[in-house]
Amino acid sequence: MIFVIAANELRRMFYSPLAWFILAMLLLIEGLLFLVFIETFLTQVQPRFAGIDGAPGVTDSVISPLFLWAGVLMLGVMPLLTMRLFSEERARQTLVLLRSAPLSTTQMVLGKFFGLLGFILAMLALILLMPLALAPFTSLDWGKLLSGALGLFLLSASFGAAGLYLSTLTAQPTIAAVSSFGLLLFLVVLYLSGSSPGTASELFVYLSHFGHFIAFLEGLFDTRHLSYYLLFIAAFLILAVRRLDNETLNR
Amino acid sequence: MTDELVKAEGLYRYYGPHCAVANLDLSLHRGEVLGLLGPNGAGKSSTLQMLTGNLAPSAGRIRINGEDLLDEPRKAKRHIGYLPEQPPLYRDLTVREYLRYCARLHAVPGREVQSAVDQACARCGLKTVSRRLIGHLSKGYQQRVGIAQAIIHRPAVIVLDEPTVGLDPLQIQEIRRLIQELASEHGVILSTHILPEVQSVCSRVQIVHHGRTVFSALLSELDRNASGAVLARFANPPAVEVLQQLEGVREVEVLADGHIRLVPHAKMALAEGIAEQAVAHGWRLQELLTEQANLERIFTDVVYHERNAATAPEATQEKALS
């Protein structure tokens, strides 16, 4: 049942021009960045480190920044994708369809979330094509590539879970988008203030997404970072379920 | 399988301090069309939302086809098809895609989805538009898609909230015909504030006002209890006393709009006698009709009674007939 909703959600995303525009813009920007990083690598990094053992390779100087930037772009992209999940249903009064069907609220929320994950996977697959295009010509650090991709996936999924919750709060997609963008930016600010010299705060860095994302980009697969994302996602999904359940009680 | 499809007892619903539904009982049997009637804001929609699990009642019990809606919502919801006031349509899907999704949501097994969609399309007259986008359809067709959505999983109970609002007269007729058809296999609950609608499709009527049931009866009983009164209009009307003397007439009343209302003794048929007398005495009969089951009168009485308690009963009668 969850997958029925997820499939429908994914299909409807691709029916809207928004999804295609987002994919197009994302690829355009990532493509340009990719070129810039390669250019820098070829003209500046490679000549300097040629022949030195343990020097940063192509994975470090091209792929990791590419993923990092993809994560930054997701700050803008995910709110646009999540804003319609529940607020549009509410604005169009289509939530009744799911509510009257023999479904639990958890199934409803998970269905929507998995649909979103499907879209994230599609974006990730397209972004991954760029580093893969390098594979025939150089040796890539596959471990780092995979951990970076996993990190990007978890980062986007956690953005998505937060956006999903915020979209259950309002009937106006724009408000949902703006508020989730605000929340995500706030977490970035936490990271910046937590990691800036002088005011460094372990807690702030821990709370923000990017602290954990960077570990993944460095090729560090640590269950602590994994569990941060899983907890973050679970927390917001549970909040969404509670919020929707509450609504039938006191509207 | 019980014969009683819906049984709701002692439903209450508060919105903050405001009580929208108070101690409402409701039941529905197989093959019945129950008309839930009431003025705007009477609590009809809230009641239907509670029956379909979209709104939790503040107190009370609801059983759908023997399953408790509050304890086992997922089991109970299998037996309900619901068309809310605003049909829940995804405008970016085609009719067929949408109905297929609805069928899957309602746990129609994969193999039967196709035939369920075909059947629902056929019943609701959607065959010609089944490949069009819902957003491009007219209001009447969208309403039919909404109904198709409610019947696709062949639920025992179909709940329709004001299904004919905003449709043109022809579409209204079609939808009413469809509802009557559905009633042969399912139980239907229908909310409306249009009186003729109840008279034309419902087998039982329940009038709700301020969240309470103020009247409930079978329409067949209403017909039987109808006074059998006749309304007549003459170009050259005789004196009231003359009419009073006619055979079988118990009561004569001149209404404000010029009609004369004649009430018979014990359900005698008056029309024929009046027509004969009119011809014989040159009263020049212009119009002669038997008064319908007086739902309108009952509705006006129970709903406006408290509001117009001060004014004389004639005033309410005028309103009923205007």
Side-chain angles (χ1 to χ4, degrees):
Chain A
M1 200 55 77
I2 292 174
F3 289 99
V4 173
I5 302 179
N8 182 62
E9 205 53 41
L10 193 59
R11 171 192 304 191
R12 288 188 48 235
M13 270 186 204
F14 281 109
Y15 282 173
S16 76
L18 183 70
W20 294 104
F21 269 91
I22 288 176
L23 279 180
M25 294 311 291
L26 186 71
L27 283 185
L28 179 71
I29 295 173
E30 283 286 288
L32 288 175
L33 288 170
F34 184 56
L35 287 182
V36 171
F37 292 141
I38 293 220
E39 175 82 9
T40 324
F41 179 74
L42 289 178
T43 57
Q44 292 174 26
V45 181
Q46 209 176 22
R48 228 189 312 162
F49 291 110
I52 303 175
D53 249 9
V58 76
T59 314
D60 292 303
S61 24
V62 175
I63 298 175
S64 294
L66 191 70
F67 281 159
L68 181 62
W69 272 96
V72 172
L73 288 176
M74 288 298 173
L75 286 175
V77 168
M78 290 317 293
L80 292 177
L81 289 174
T82 55
M83 69 177 185
R84 31 191 305 292
L85 287 178
F86 280 101
S87 30
E88 195 187 62
E89 297 241 8
R90 190 163 301 168
R92 295 251 167 94
Q93 307 193 357
T94 49
L95 208 51
V96 186
L97 182 68
L98 294 174
R99 282 240 172 85
S100 319
L103 296 170
S104 66
T105 317
T106 315
Q107 283 176 314
M108 241 158 80
V109 169
L110 281 181
K112 293 261 177 193
F113 184 64
F114 284 151
L116 186 68
L117 288 189
F119 193 83
I120 293 176
L121 282 178
M123 290 194 288
L124 196 62
L126 289 174
I127 292 175
L128 270 177
L129 286 180
M130 291 178 214
L132 288 180
L134 294 177
F137 311 106
T138 178
S139 62
L140 294 176
D141 184 341
W142 290 105
K144 234 179 216 182
L145 182 70
L146 279 181
S147 109
L150 179 66
L152 183 57
F153 177 72
L154 288 171
L155 181 81
S156 315
S158 66
F159 287 0
L164 183 142
Y165 169 61
L166 288 168
S167 87
T168 60
L169 298 181
T170 165
Q172 299 197 26
T174 12
I175 292 184
V178 171
S179 56
S180 30
F181 188 56
L183 174 71
L184 299 182
L185 273 189
F186 174 71
L187 290 170
V188 174
V189 171
L190 272 189
Y191 177 74
L192 292 179
S193 74
S195 59
S196 66
T199 56
S201 155
E202 292 263 322
L203 177 68
F204 282 8
V205 172
Y206 178 79
L207 283 178
S208 85
H209 287 91
F210 279 89
H212 306 275
F213 183 42
I214 283 165
F216 276 103
L217 290 184
E218 285 165 355
L220 190 65
F221 181 84
D222 189 332
T223 41
R224 272 184 308 166
H225 299 309
L226 180 70
S227 50
Y228 166 84
Y229 284 119
L230 295 183
L231 282 175
F232 190 94
I233 291 168
F236 275 107
L237 292 186
I238 290 168
L239 279 176
V241 171
R242 307 267 321 176
R243 159 77 192 167
L244 289 170
D245 272 341
N246 235 346
E247 214 163 78
T248 56
L249 292 173
N250 357 282
R251 212 176 346 170
Chain B
M1 286 279 164
T2 50
D3 205 41
E4 190 157 50
L5 295 179
V6 177
K7 183 159 186 59
E9 288 170 313
L11 288 185
Y12 279 88
R13 174 68 209 194
Y14 290 91
Y15 293 101
H18 172 66
C19 180
V21 176
N23 197 14
L24 190 112
D25 293 342
L26 191 147
S27 73
L28 179 78
H29 296 271
R30 198 175 292 279
E32 221 177 20
V33 182
L34 170 64
L36 208 55
L37 195 61
N40 289 323
K44 292 175 306 220
S45 287
S46 296
T47 307
L48 295 189
Q49 282 173 359
M50 286 193 278
L51 290 180
T52 55
N54 279 275
L55 192 65
S58 308
R61 287 170 57 78
I62 302 171
R63 294 185 79 80
I64 308 284
N65 212 358
E67 315 265 15
D68 194 305
L69 181 68
L70 304 171
D71 293 342
E72 294 276 1
R74 286 164 65 187
K75 274 189 193 161
K77 280 178 186 177
R78 275 169 196 271
H79 305 296
I80 309 176
Y82 176 39
L83 171 70
E85 246 174 303
Q86 179 89 29
L89 305 174
Y90 293 117
R91 302 168 57 85
D92 46 2
L93 296 182
T94 66
V95 173
R96 195 157 261 285
E97 281 172 331
Y98 172 73
L99 290 178
R100 201 175 295 143
Y101 175 54
C102 294
R104 298 301 303 275
L105 274 186
H106 282 100
V108 174
R111 280 170 286 114
E112 292 162 32
V113 167
Q114 196 61 37
S115 65
V117 170
D118 287 336
Q119 263 179 7
C121 278
R123 292 200 95 157
C124 301
L126 289 167
K127 272 185 171 162
T128 49
V129 297
S130 68
R131 296 193 188 282
R132 287 179 54 188
L133 282 184
I134 292 176
H136 292 172
L137 296 178
S138 66
K139 178 94 174 72
Y141 271 114
Q142 290 189 354
Q143 191 74 18
R144 289 198 225 175
V145 178
I147 295 181
Q149 165 272 125
I151 63 173
I152 192 145
H153 50 295
R154 311 192 135 272
V157 184
I158 299 172
V159 180
L160 307 170
D161 198 349
E162 308 202 348
T164 56
V165 161
L167 302 184
D168 70 37
L170 209 65
Q171 293 168 328
I172 291 181
Q173 275 184 7
E174 280 173 19
I175 301 262
R176 284 183 187 166
R177 203 174 308 137
L178 178 62
I179 292 170
Q180 273 167 337
E181 233 177 86
L182 292 173
S184 56
E185 295 165 44
H186 315 258
V188 181
I189 301 179
L190 180 83
S191 96
T192 181
H193 52 245
I194 309 167
L195 295 164
E197 191 153 291
V198 174
Q199 235 146 14
S200 65
V201 298
C202 296
S203 53
R204 198 152 58 82
V205 59
Q206 184 164 351
I207 300 180
V208 183
H209 188 43
H210 291 321
R212 290 165 202 280
T213 304
V214 287
F215 179 82
S216 171
L218 290 170
L219 271 167
S220 51
E221 270 170 31
L222 275 185
D223 279 332
R224 218 178 315 128
N225 293 344
S227 53
V230 166
L231 295 173
R233 187 204 286 275
F234 306 103
N236 178 23
V240 171
E241 291 74 34
V242 179
L243 290 171
Q244 196 91 60
Q245 300 305 314
L246 291 179
E247 196 194 343
V249 173
R250 194 187 61 186
E251 206 184 312
V252 179
E253 194 183 337
V254 181
L255 302 174
D257 59 356
H259 279 109
I260 298 175
R261 181 165 181 266
L262 299 111
V263 184
H265 287 294
K267 303 204 172 95
M268 285 177 62
L270 286 181
E272 202 182 336
I274 290 170
E276 274 172 12
Q277 294 292 322
V279 173
H281 295 95
W283 295 338
R284 293 170 62 198
L285 184 64
Q286 288 178 321
E287 224 181 308
L288 185 64
L289 41 104
T290 312
E291 203 174 54
Q292 287 285 309
N294 39 10
L295 188 58
E296 208 162 321
R297 212 164 253 257
I298 294 166
F299 183 77
T300 329
D301 280 354
V302 293
V303 171
Y304 293 100
H305 187 69
E306 25 195 306
R307 281 192 216 164
N308 302 350
T311 49
E314 290 99 62
T316 44
Q317 266 170 14
E318 261 172 47
K319 198 170 276 167
L321 290 160
S322 58

